[in-house]
Amino acid sequence: MQLFETMRLENGDFSRLNYHIARMRKACKRLNIDFSQSEFENLIETIAKHNARGIFRVKVLINENGDFEHVIADLPIKSSFTARLVKLNVPDNHEEMIYKTTQRNHLAHNHATDIILLYNDEGKLLEFDIGNLMIKEQQQYFTPTYNEDFLKGCMRAALIDEGKLIEKDYYIEEFKSKLQDGEIEVFLINSLREVADVTFYL
């Protein structure tokens, strides 16, 4: 198993870099992985220097011995996604659900839609398979409260810290009703795409 961070590199600058560092440091501590922040930062600096023009998806992985590897790819423009609701199949290993590891099998799906939105046994909406949920209602933006039941994204954390996003739980029946009545708008947020529109197939 490896931990990883997937980051947006735009014209030589990593978006929300401090959030990515903090998340990896916390996860490594929880999973007893030796994390060298200086080595991570040196790697990031080198990647940025050699990719100073354009927008890239940069994935940095760390293994159980604390060794880093990385993958760089162009980030295609995509500002909207299709989605459907799927009940969470809770993984045996709780860390798979709350940390960005290479073992997140509970997010697998058949891609009948671009992405899926998971909900738990109580009907609480949790997260998309590639990012967090943001709902616009009455000119305010909301995201589910965190109770070690999904992965906390860096874009989500930044928006909360900036006072632009409020934690509030939505449940599946209320969500469906408000969506069908046009009372809410739904967005995917993650550090790569930042904010993207979502169209649901209910």
Side-chain angles (χ1 to χ4, degrees):
M1 183 185 71
Q2 294 171 291
L3 281 169
F4 68 94
E5 289 293 322
T6 307
M7 297 170 284
R8 181 186 181 97
L9 175 60
E10 186 169 359
N11 296 327
D13 291 320
F14 279 94
S15 304
R16 292 162 291 280
L17 180 57
N18 289 340
Y19 287 92
H20 287 288
I21 292 172
R23 183 168 68 174
M24 181 167 274
R25 183 174 59 238
K26 181 178 180 181
C28 284
K29 183 177 180 181
R30 174 83 171 254
L31 299 176
N32 296 314
I33 295 173
D34 185 20
F35 173 65
S36 170
Q37 184 167 327
S38 61
E39 187 176 342
F40 181 87
E41 291 175 347
N42 288 339
L43 174 60
I44 289 299
E45 184 178 346
T46 300
I47 293 171
K49 187 181 298 183
H50 288 91
N51 299 274
R53 291 286 182 271
I55 304 176
F56 301 95
R57 175 186 184 272
V58 178
K59 183 176 183 178
V60 177
L61 304 98
I62 184 171
N63 65 22
E64 295 175 356
N65 298 319
D67 300 318
F68 292 105
E69 59 182 282
H70 68 277
V71 180
I72 304 170
D74 291 332
L75 182 61
I77 295 172
K78 186 173 175 65
S79 58
S80 62
F81 293 80
T82 58
R84 59 192 170 90
L85 291 158
V86 173
K87 187 177 179 182
L88 171 68
N89 184 15
V90 179
D92 293 333
N93 183 352
H94 184 64
E95 276 72 23
E96 291 180 21
M97 195 161 65
I98 62 173
Y99 295 118
K100 204 171 181 78
T101 74
T102 50
Q103 295 176 359
R104 302 197 81 212
N105 296 326
H106 64 289
L107 301 180
H109 62 101
N110 64 9
H111 294 278
T113 53
D114 295 325
I115 57 178
I116 56 173
L117 177 58
L118 298 174
Y119 62 94
N120 65 14
D121 287 341
E122 289 73 44
K124 176 189 171 183
L125 301 184
L126 300 173
E127 65 175 335
F128 292 108
D129 57 304
I130 62 168
N132 290 124
L133 169 66
M134 183 170 76
I135 293 175
K136 182 180 181 182
E137 183 175 13
Q138 297 182 348
Q139 303 306 309
Q140 289 191 312
Y141 293 90
F142 301 99
T143 193
T145 58
Y146 179 70
N147 189 30
E148 289 209 348
D149 47 1
F150 57 84
L151 174 69
K152 289 197 293 185
C154 294
M155 187 70 187
R156 175 186 182 276
L159 290 173
I160 290 174
D161 288 348
E162 293 165 8
K164 297 177 180 177
L165 191 58
I166 301 167
E167 288 186 302
K168 174 187 174 181
D169 289 337
Y170 283 83
Y171 288 83
I172 190 167
E173 294 307 322
E174 172 198 18
F175 174 78
K176 287 181 179 179
S177 175
K178 288 185 174 181
L179 192 60
Q180 290 170 336
D181 291 343
E183 296 177 18
I184 59 175
E185 296 176 56
V186 184
F187 303 91
L188 161 75
I189 52 174
N190 66 24
S191 211
L192 275 184
R193 302 291 178 184
E194 298 191 328
V195 179
D197 296 322
V198 178
T199 300
F200 263 87
Y201 293 91
L202 295 176

